[in-house]
Amino acid sequence: MQKKIQAIRMSMKNATEVWGYLKSVLWQASKPLTLILLMLGLFSGLTLIAELLAITTLINRLVEYDPSHGSFGMAIQSLLPWVVIFIGAILIKQAAQSIQPYISMQLQEKASSILKEHIFSKALQLDLESFETEDYYNQLENAKKAINHRLTWALESIGLIIASIVELVVVIVAISKSGILLALVLIVGSVPLIMINLKSTKEFMKINYQQSPTKRHSQYWMGLSTSRQTAAELRLFGLGPYFLGKWERLSEQLIGELYTARKKMAWLRVKGETILILLLAMMMIGIVFAGVKGTITVGALVALLYMLNRFEQAIGQVSGHSETLADFHYSFQYIPRFLQAGKEELASGLQAPEVIEQGIQFENVSFTYPGSTKESLKRINLHIAPGEKVALVGENGAGKSTLALLLLGLYQPTEGRIVVDGVDLTDINPIFWRRKAAAVFQNFVKYQLSATENITFGNLADADNEQKLTQVAKRSRIDAVLRQLPNGYDTLLGKEYENSKDLSGGEWQKVAITRAYYREADILVLDEPTAALDAQSEYEVYKQFSQVSEGKTTLLISHRLGSARLADKNINLQAGQVVEIGSHDELIGRNGPYATMYHLQAEWYQ
């Protein structure tokens, strides 16, 4: 019992937080429109009072009308105002309900923009470790899906529920005139109807959102089958039927789970409809009995029977729109949940040193990626002097890229620390530290934007410097390629949009290198910067490397040990540990693992 009470409290707390967040978003979107939407619902429900009064009066006057004691004209004159009131009430209600969709659409557009901004901002504030977990992607997908998920319907439903609840109150008050017992039965009978519908919707939405991981896997197989990047390999190896089979099995699983949920939902609906029919039958018998006894007038009897029809409509509206709101709540809760999840990067800290004087020291640094039990780096101790060119070499998975990410402050050590001029890197504001750094990552981004944007993203503060743009592009040997494009530097790169132009892998890599050079940073990280380049282009890049890196602290990661000869110091990593440190000549002279790797590679060129 205690657990059940605690679960109810948690559910109520969650509902309060979710609807409180929605209220703040709607207030920010437009407080006047939100209030108008609510008032239209209230006003629409209150028109039933006028309808009830008009019907009762009309029927009573018709029953009381005696042609021998009054003219037909006087009778019409007596009845006409109530006819006008009845018709007017219906017209006002219809007008209010016709306006609601337009207001809710306007609110939807403004609120959706605010919600997207919140999610966008949150994603930008998270540290990189958050992106290493499946939970992040599940929550992100659910949050994005919730932005437009029936928000318009939910906003309309709020107004319509207000109108329907007001109508139910009017009906119950009216029914109480024929007997308090009937009114109590009506109240008690209405509760299970609403609860049954809410339960059926909750069960359906629960299974729907639990399917997020499976849906992502299904979408992945669909993406593999339809992507340009995989089209050639898919056809070469005949993978189409295999991918299709994977997708079909996941699709069948999703459909089966939804079918089970819908069966439960249908059974609950049958129970609800049965209760409603029995409730209406009891009300009708009670009202007719009150009329026979003379407790109510003929006009009131007819009006109350009319009210039963309106009660059925109102309970249907409350149940139906409560389902919409329950559906909306179940999906919408993922937005505030996403906004509260994950670990955000610190936005404060010390200034980065203007000029690094003592260097960067790794002190017993270890690192393990989230969700993994294997250490990527183990007790790393090394010193990088200011302006020193350091080459990281080693086999795949040795931890070279991970060490670079730690140096850039994109990840934090799980053990040990990185010290810059005697200051722990975690105490330095990451924004200030990264302004001092530039990098060409192994999996660099190919922005489907103009060539100019692809390069100037390296330093947006200096994005309008055309002279610098051209100089840096010439230095990277990409200027001539970009000038030959249909719109020169303004040409859209890639294949995503009309009139765009794709580049070769090597040309894209040169663009990424140019982006890093454009930053003019004090710390330069090049992670396999020539992996997609031909021999001539590779020679040109390394020829410029010494000039570009002059005075900069440079970290060069490469499998090709010939490039390591350009570095002042080579660090050989094996299984996340430093096994050798020294210049190229020193390591060759020691005839250790580095020398062995170098001679093995050299054999291919002899």
Side-chain angles (χ1 to χ4, degrees), residues 406-422:
L406 292 174
L407 173 64
L408 294 169
L410 296 171
Y411 286 95
Q412 306 299 329
T414 48
E415 290 183 23
R417 63 175 189 161
I418 301 171
V419 178
V420 181
D421 282 357

Side-chain angles (χ1 to χ4, degrees), residues 19 22 26 37-38 153-163 325:
W19 289 101
L22 176 62
L26 292 177
L37 184 68
L38 298 177
W153 291 7
L155 294 173
E156 287 182 43
S157 294
I158 292 172
L160 292 172
I161 282 180
I162 291 173
L325 290 184

Side-chain angles (χ1 to χ4, degrees), residues 141-320:
E141 182 191 347
N142 286 334
K144 289 193 296 185
K145 185 165 44 176
I147 290 177
N148 293 315
H149 183 75
R150 298 191 177 182
L151 180 55
T152 306
W153 291 7
L155 294 173
E156 287 182 43
S157 294
I158 292 172
L160 292 172
I161 282 180
I162 291 173
S164 299
I165 289 175
V166 172
E167 287 191 356
L168 287 176
V169 171
V170 172
V171 172
I172 290 169
V173 171
I175 292 289
S176 68
K177 301 297 182 182
S178 60
I180 294 296
L181 183 61
L182 280 178
L184 290 174
V185 171
L186 195 59
I187 293 170
V188 173
S190 300
V191 174
L193 286 174
I194 298 172
M195 296 305 296
I196 285 172
N197 283 304
L198 287 176
K199 183 179 179 181
S200 65
T201 303
K202 183 179 178 181
E203 290 298 318
F204 181 73
M205 291 310 302
K206 184 178 179 181
I207 189 67
N208 197 19
Y209 279 88
Q210 283 176 345
Q211 290 181 329
S212 285
T214 309
K215 286 177 181 177
R216 284 203 303 110
H217 293 154
S218 174
Q219 290 163 3
Y220 174 72
W221 290 109
M222 176 65 75
L224 285 177
S225 303
T226 57
S227 171
R228 171 175 172 265
Q229 284 77 14
T230 58
E233 191 165 309
L234 181 147
R235 284 155 178 77
L236 177 63
F237 294 114
L239 298 174
Y242 179 79
F243 288 0
L244 179 60
K246 284 284 189 179
W247 176 82
E248 285 178 340
R249 282 191 288 275
L250 290 171
S251 181
E252 288 172 4
Q253 177 185 336
L254 291 169
I255 292 171
E257 290 172 353
L258 289 173
Y259 175 70
T260 302
R262 286 192 178 100
K263 282 199 300 184
K264 291 181 181 178
M265 193 170 166
W267 171 241
L268 288 169
R269 290 289 177 83
V270 170
K271 288 171 63 177
E273 290 297 323
T274 303
I275 292 173
L276 177 61
I277 291 170
L278 292 174
L279 187 61
L280 290 175
M282 291 173 63
M283 291 300 103
M284 190 174 295
I285 292 170
I287 291 169
V288 171
F289 183 70
V292 170
K293 285 181 63 179
T295 308
I296 56 175
T297 64
V298 175
L301 186 147
V302 174
L304 289 177
L305 291 175
Y306 172 74
M307 288 295 105
L308 286 183
N309 179 57
R310 292 299 293 271
F311 169 80
E312 183 180 6
Q313 293 175 7
I315 203 72
Q317 289 269 35
V318 171
S319 298

